[in-house]
């Protein structure tokens, strides 16, 4: 409102993140860096949250979770038995971590009246909110703290009286302001730069279990001795994770053996390990851009084994009664010609011989096997994405060399036949084709579409001169008129690279901080000419970029449209260029043009200015040759990027424009006029344009305008 505000030290905010938090260091990808940092992240999550002491009556557990984490009112409600419902919510990876936390709460609160459930956040807000939630505890789990669906569910639950304790890995994020308490994973500044979350997932599970044990202590469902045993088990996580990371080379070999030889992938796990399977499925899908299924181990033998898929089995940590059945199920998978990778406990040998790859991880008690299985799966997914991306890099490198060679041939004005006959060009293609086929036999390029691979194989043959060029026109009906096998090879390589490229640290469908997309519609082109085009059924797609810019400038100088003539152009050559047989036909007239005579009324032959416009594709501003009327002619392109229509518009210019407005409307003509005046050794001043009509400035030849300015100064 204009009131002065005094700026003081209290107005200064300090970001709790520095460049150190987002430095990739020597790692090739943030994803790999963050997997390696997960050990530290888990340690920080455990650090300072509790204290174990030994007394005469046994071990005692003192939790260091203050009212900023668990509000005092919530502690009292848990002690008094006034919490009847705990719901853990999240989306994506956070929801899977929520499933693991839900499992822990169910075990730790067994025997209490508290109902525990895990839900997708949007399912809670959409279908499961009661009007009175004062007896409910909501535990949202989120990586960034800005997931809109989760935050909305939290706000709606809080409005109904629920207590909210969030598990999040980023301070100052949106959810912290919506929650009654916040349990930060790591130190609350452990930022993940890779969109595909890893270390946050492990730390969310650890944080969720610590919080669950504290709730169990408050609710009186576990003795301190039992809680201490669980906490000591959690403390084994960092060392066990370190041993999994030491299996990198073994996991990489498994990837090279199987990843690109199987089109369909699945991940399975039973009991608590279903969460591991679900999370691995997410990472494989995000990193490798594949649709992947996740299921319980025992259910997989009833579903889609006929696809002969790659199946990753999360078996580590299963009790013996379950493990025996998993061994049998893996044998069934193998019998149905599936490729099987098994993650299992160290010392477990029953999968040897019935699975292509067996990756052993440290033998641990739950919930650590969920983390061990997931960590191995995350590494598997990373190396799989890297392997696929190497295929893209191979094609990209050849495409670059192909483009350089094509540029050299263009400088020499080679014809299509000379290009293919060129020995250097054919050797380049032959060398690539040989290596391409070798890699394909090894399983490379398996995620590209069948159409792309078949096109590449055919195009390589045409470009090596192994197939008659006459057949090319029948094999490839190129919509935009591309006539060269080399051009089409270049384009198809681009399609293949796009299908294969895996950026690892980013995901095409997601932004980093806000896990929802924002829809913004492209603003339509507006103005007197653009509006007329729209009325006639044309859009920006019928204009090339340079003409859109030109029209945008000149239409500001047009005061009115008095009429128009719409022409159809026929019989262009195969490249879309006019020749002596090209024709022009009037399809529609409006306004003053209805009383004017056109050359097209006498002869359909395309000639003169209109032929030049069709040939160059440029917008024309000038005067009619017969009547001297001010006109604008706009070339309109079809889907083949050929000029198929001309729109001749009769206009009246706005002669009241200021000099700066005239200059803006003139565009490149302004520089051309100024340069010609300078050729007469006359200094240029913008005031020369004041006395000249806009119609003449836009329509008359540059030489005439410059001559008039010269005479004006004499």
């Amino acid at each position: 409102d204009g009131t002065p505000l005094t700026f003081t030290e209290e107005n200064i905010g300090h970001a709790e993140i520095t460049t150190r938090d987002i430095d990739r260091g020597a790692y090739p990808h943030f994803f790999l860096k963050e997997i390696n940092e997960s050990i530290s992240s888990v340690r920080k999550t455990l650090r300072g949250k509790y204290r174990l002491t030994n007394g005469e009556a046994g071990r005692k557990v003192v939790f260091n979770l203050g009212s900023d984490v668990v509000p005092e009112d919530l502690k009292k409600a848990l002690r008094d038995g006034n919490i009847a419902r705990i719901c853990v919510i999240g989306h994506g990876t956070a929801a899977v971590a929520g499933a693991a936390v839900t499992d822990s709460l169910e075990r730790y609160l067994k025997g209490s009246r508290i109902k525990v459930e895990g839900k997708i956040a949007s399912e809670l807000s959409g279908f499961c909110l009661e009007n009175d939630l004062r007896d409910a505890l909501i535990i949202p789990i989120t990586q960034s703290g800005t997931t809109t669906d989760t935050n909305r569910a939290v706000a709606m639950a809080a409005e109904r009286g629920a207590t909210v304790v969030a598990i999040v890995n980023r301070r100052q994020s949106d959810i912290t302001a919506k929650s009654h308490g916040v349990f930060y994973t790591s130190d609350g500044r452990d930022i993940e730069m890779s969109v595909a979350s890893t270390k946050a997932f492990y730390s969310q599970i650890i944080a969720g279990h610590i919080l669950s044990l504290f709730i169990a202590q408050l609710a009186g469902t576990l003795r301190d001795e039992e809680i201490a045993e669980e906490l000591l088990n959690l403390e084994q996580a960092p060392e066990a994770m370190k041993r999994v990371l030491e299996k990198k080379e073994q996991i990489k070999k498994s990837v090279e053996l199987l990843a690109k030889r199987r089109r369909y992938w699945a991940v399975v796990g039973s009991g608590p390990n279903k969460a591991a399977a679900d999370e691995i499925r997410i990472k494989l899908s995000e990193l490798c851009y594949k649709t992947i299924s996740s299921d319980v181990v025992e259910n997989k033998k009833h579903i889609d084994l006929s696809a002969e898929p790659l199946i990753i089995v999360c078996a580590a940590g299963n009790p013996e009664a379950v493990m025996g059945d998993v061994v049998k199920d893996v044998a069934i998978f193998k019998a149905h010609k599936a490729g099987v990778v098994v993650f299992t406990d160290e010392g477990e040998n029953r999968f040897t011989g019935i699975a292509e790859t067996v990756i052993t991880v440290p033998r641990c008690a739950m919930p650590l096997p969920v983390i061990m299985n997931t960590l191995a799966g995350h590494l598997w997914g990373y190396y799989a994405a890297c392997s696929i991306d190497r295929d893209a890099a191979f094609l990209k490198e050849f495409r670059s060399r192909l483009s350089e060679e094509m540029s050299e041939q263009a400088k020499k004005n080679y014809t299509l036949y000379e290009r293919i006959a060129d020995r250097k060009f054919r050797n380049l293609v032959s060398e690539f084709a040989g290596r391409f086929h070798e890699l394909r036999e090894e399983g490379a390029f398996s995620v590209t579409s069948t159409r792309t691979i078949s096109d590449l194989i055919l195009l390589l043959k045409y470009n090596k001169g192994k197939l008659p060029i006459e057949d090319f026109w029948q094999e490839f009906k190129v919509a935009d008129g591309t006539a060269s096998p080399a051009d089409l090879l270049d384009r198809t390589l681009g399609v293949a690279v796009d299908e294969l490229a895996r950026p690892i640290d980013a995901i095409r469908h997601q932004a980093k901080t806000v896990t929802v997309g924002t829809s913004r519609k492209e603003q339509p082109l507006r103005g007197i000419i653009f509006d007329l085009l729209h009325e006639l059924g044309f859009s920006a797609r019928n204009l090339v970029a340079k003409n859109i810019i030109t029209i945008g400038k000149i239409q500001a100088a047009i005061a009115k449209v008095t009429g128009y003539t719409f022409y159809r152009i026929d019989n262009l050559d195969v490249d879309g260029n006019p020749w002596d047989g090209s024709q022009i036909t009037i399809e529609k007239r409006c306004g003053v043009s209805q009383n004017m005579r056109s050359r097209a009324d006498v002869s359909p032959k395309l000639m003169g200015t209109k032929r030049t416009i069709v040939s160059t594709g440029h917008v024309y501003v000038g005067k009619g040759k017969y009547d001297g009327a001010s006109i604008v002619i706009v070339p309109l392109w079809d889907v083949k990027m050929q000029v198929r229509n001309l729109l001749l518009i009769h206009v009246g210019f706005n002669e009241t424009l200021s000099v700066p407005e005239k200059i803006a409307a003139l565009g490149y003509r302004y520089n051309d006029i100024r340069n010609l005046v300078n050729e007469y050794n006359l200094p240029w001043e913008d005031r020369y344009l004041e006395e000249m009509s806009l119609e003449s400035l836009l329509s008359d030849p540059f030489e005439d305008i410059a001559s008039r300015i010269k005479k004006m100064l004499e």
Side-chain angles (χ1 to χ4, degrees):
D1 61 358
T3 304
L5 298 177
T6 303
F7 186 73
T8 67
E9 289 289 331
E10 294 178 357
N11 299 118
I12 300 176
H14 295 275
E16 298 191 25
I17 304 169
T18 72
T19 52
R20 293 190 302 274
D21 298 311
I22 58 173
D23 181 19
R24 197 182 71 193
Y27 291 97
H29 298 99
F30 281 109
F31 187 90
L32 185 61
K33 168 182 177 282
E34 288 157 6
I35 286 181
N36 281 271
E37 288 179 346
S38 60
I39 296 171
S40 173
S41 185
V42 167
R43 282 201 180 103
K44 290 177 183 177
T45 303
L46 287 162
R47 185 181 299 157
K49 301 303 191 301
Y50 56 87
R51 185 174 73 255
L52 303 181
T53 60
N54 291 314
E56 293 182 3
R59 284 179 291 193
K60 298 291 293 181
V61 179
V62 178
F63 283 95
N64 183 28
L65 301 178
S67 57
D68 58 329
V69 180
V70 181
E72 295 303 322
D73 289 347
L74 176 59
K75 293 177 184 177
K76 185 177 186 303
L78 287 165
R79 290 192 189 100
D80 296 344
N82 293 330
I83 294 296
R85 177 183 178 188
I86 298 177
C87 186
V88 187
I89 63 173
H91 272 272
T93 287
V96 179
V101 174
T102 300
D103 180 70
S104 70
L105 281 166
E106 288 176 338
R107 288 188 288 114
Y108 298 156
L109 296 176
K110 190 174 182 179
S112 73
R113 61 180 287 270
I114 300 175
K115 177 185 177 183
V116 179
E117 56 187 341
K119 288 190 177 294
I120 303 297
S122 57
E123 294 293 292
L124 172 69
S125 61
F127 304 98
C128 306
L129 285 179
E130 300 170 6
N131 291 329
D132 186 355
L133 292 177
R134 286 175 293 179
D135 63 350
L137 168 61
I138 306 297
I139 304 177
I141 300 179
T142 170
Q143 173 196 357
S144 64
T146 56
T147 305
T148 301
D149 289 332
T150 301
N151 290 358
R152 181 58 184 152
V154 164
M156 293 175 70
E159 288 170 0
R160 289 161 173 77
T163 302
V164 179
V165 176
I167 296 175
V168 61
N169 73 319
R170 208 182 91 187
R171 296 182 185 276
Q172 299 174 312
S173 57
D174 295 349
I175 202 168
T176 62
K178 302 177 184 293
S179 304
H180 301 97
V182 182
F183 193 134
Y184 289 108
T185 59
S186 186
D187 55 6
R189 55 186 286 168
D190 206 354
I191 302 304
E192 286 191 301
M193 294 299 292
S194 172
V195 174
S197 173
T198 53
K199 62 184 178 184
F201 175 78
Y202 317 133
S203 296
Q204 287 163 355
I205 290 178
I206 296 296
H209 277 73
I210 295 172
L211 181 61
S212 298
L213 289 167
F214 184 40
I215 291 172
Q217 186 185 61
L218 293 169
T221 56
L222 287 181
R223 295 178 292 107
D224 274 19
E225 186 68 28
E226 295 170 311
I227 294 173
E229 286 297 321
E230 292 290 335
L231 291 170
L232 289 172
N233 179 49
L234 294 179
E235 290 178 9
Q236 306 306 309
E239 183 59 32
M241 294 169 71
K242 179 181 177 183
R243 288 164 60 188
V244 175
L245 290 175
E246 292 170 354
K247 306 273 187 176
K248 288 178 182 176
E249 291 304 315
Q250 185 182 357
I251 293 172
K252 190 184 297 186
K253 289 179 181 177
S254 171
V255 167
E256 295 302 326
L257 176 66
L258 289 170
K260 293 187 290 192
R261 294 185 179 274
R262 303 283 177 159
R263 180 173 294 274
Y264 305 106
W265 297 359
V267 192
V268 294
S270 297
N273 279 332
K274 180 58 166 60
D278 288 342
E279 167 55 14
I280 294 171
R281 180 195 74 82
I282 291 174
K283 289 302 166 291
L284 290 178
S285 178
E286 289 180 332
L287 292 171
C288 301
Y289 300 164
K290 294 177 73 72
T291 299
I292 299 165
S293 67
S294 173
D295 211 333
V296 172
V297 177
E298 292 79 4
N299 199 38
K300 188 62 180 173
K301 61 179 174 284
H302 300 288
I303 301 172
D304 69 21
L305 284 182
S306 56
E308 299 180 7
L310 163 69
I311 303 177
I312 296 176
V313 181
C314 300
N318 284 330
E320 177 52 37
V322 175
M323 189 68 86
D325 287 334
V326 173
V327 173
K328 295 175 185 176
D329 288 329
V330 169
I332 292 172
F333 301 160
K334 181 67 174 178
H336 285 80
K337 298 182 180 180
V340 186
V341 178
V342 176
F343 303 146
T344 191
D345 297 316
E346 291 175 344
E348 175 58 72
N349 300 316
R350 285 174 287 180
F351 294 105
T352 304
I354 61 173
E356 271 78 3
T357 306
V358 179
I359 309 293
T360 59
V361 299
R363 190 179 291 271
C364 307
M366 285 294 174
L368 298 194
V370 175
I371 295 177
M372 300 303 111
N373 283 311
T374 304
L375 180 53
H378 282 171
L379 284 170
W380 204 97
Y382 170 73
Y383 288 118
C386 288
S387 179
I388 295 169
D389 195 61
R390 281 197 299 274
D391 293 348
F394 170 72
L395 298 181
K396 195 182 300 182
E397 190 273 336
F398 169 68
R399 190 186 185 200
S400 176
R401 289 191 291 141
L402 179 71
S403 180
E404 290 177 6
E405 185 59 31
M406 290 169 64
S407 296
E408 290 299 316
Q409 291 182 336
K411 292 176 184 177
K412 300 174 184 177
N413 294 318
Y414 276 14
T415 66
L416 165 61
Y417 299 95
E418 289 172 329
R419 170 175 289 176
I420 294 175
D422 181 56
R423 184 179 297 275
K424 183 180 178 183
F425 179 82
R426 289 171 70 167
N427 286 342
L428 174 67
V429 175
S430 295
E431 179 186 342
F432 166 79
R435 183 59 181 150
F436 172 79
H437 291 305
E438 288 176 6
L439 291 173
R440 197 165 60 87
E441 287 298 317
E442 295 170 8
F445 319 115
S446 61
V447 300
T448 53
S449 66
T450 304
R451 170 68 180 271
T452 302
I453 285 292
S454 62
D455 283 356
L456 279 176
I457 293 171
L458 267 179
L459 288 166
L460 287 172
K461 291 182 181 296
Y462 280 115
N463 281 280
K464 288 192 298 181
K466 298 297 184 182
L467 294 175
I469 193 65
E470 292 77 13
D471 290 353
F472 172 76
W473 319 118
Q474 300 301 320
E475 294 270 8
F476 296 96
K477 310 284 187 183
V478 185
D480 61 1
T482 298
S484 165
D487 290 333
L488 193 54
L489 175 60
D490 175 70
R491 183 181 307 179
T492 306
L493 284 166
V495 172
V497 168
D498 188 57
E499 291 177 355
L500 288 164
R502 301 295 184 266
I504 311 295
D505 287 328
I507 301 170
R508 288 174 183 166
H509 74 277
Q510 282 187 322
K512 177 58 197 172
T513 350
V514 182
T515 321
V516 292
T518 302
S519 177
R520 294 184 176 91
K521 292 184 178 180
E522 192 71 30
Q523 293 298 316
L525 298 171
R526 292 293 185 217
I528 194 166
I529 294 180
F530 289 131
D531 291 346
L532 175 59
L533 287 170
H534 181 71
E535 290 175 15
L536 294 172
F538 294 93
S539 67
R541 294 184 180 182
N542 300 107
L543 300 167
V544 292
K546 61 184 178 183
N547 287 348
I548 291 175
I549 296 170
T550 300
I551 293 170
K553 289 179 178 179
I554 64 171
Q555 68 179 355
I558 297 174
K560 59 183 178 180
V561 170
T562 58
Y564 65 82
T565 304
F566 184 67
Y567 299 94
R568 186 183 76 247
I569 308 300
D570 295 306
N571 295 339
L572 298 176
D573 68 16
V574 292
D575 295 320
N577 297 318
W579 60 292
D580 290 343
S582 298
Q583 295 182 333
I584 182 169
T585 307
I586 296 174
E587 289 203 331
K588 186 176 181 181
R589 281 173 157 165
C590 183
V592 297
S593 67
Q594 293 175 314
N595 300 318
M596 292 182 175
R597 183 171 178 174
S598 170
R599 182 188 294 165
D601 291 322
V602 179
S603 170
K605 185 175 182 179
L606 180 63
M607 62 180 72
T609 301
K610 295 181 182 66
R611 176 166 175 168
T612 301
I613 295 171
V614 173
S615 179
T616 64
H618 295 164
V619 170
Y620 173 82
V621 182
K623 295 180 179 179
K625 300 305 180 190
Y626 291 133
D627 50 28
S630 297
I631 59 173
V632 175
I633 303 179
V634 180
L636 298 171
W637 305 68
D638 64 6
V639 293
K640 296 181 180 180
M641 291 308 293
Q642 297 178 359
V643 178
R644 289 298 183 185
N645 296 99
L646 295 178
L647 178 62
L648 185 153
I649 310 170
H650 294 274
V651 299
F653 290 106
N654 182 1
E655 296 296 349
T656 65
L657 295 185
S658 65
V659 170
E661 289 172 331
K662 285 183 178 180
I663 292 172
L666 285 172
Y668 70 88
R669 288 180 65 89
Y670 169 75
N671 289 326
D672 290 333
I673 295 168
R674 184 176 63 177
N675 292 339
L676 276 175
V677 171
N678 291 151
E679 285 290 323
Y680 293 128
N681 293 321
L682 296 173
W684 173 263
E685 293 184 29
D686 290 346
R687 64 180 179 82
Y688 300 156
L689 304 179
E690 288 180 354
E691 303 303 322
M692 306 190 74
S693 72
L694 189 59
E695 181 180 44
S696 65
L697 288 171
L698 286 168
S699 306
D700 293 347
F702 305 135
E703 295 81 1
D704 292 353
I705 297 172
S707 295
R708 267 181 273 164
I709 293 174
K710 180 184 176 185
K711 290 179 181 179
M712 184 174 63
L713 297 176
E714 289 176 350

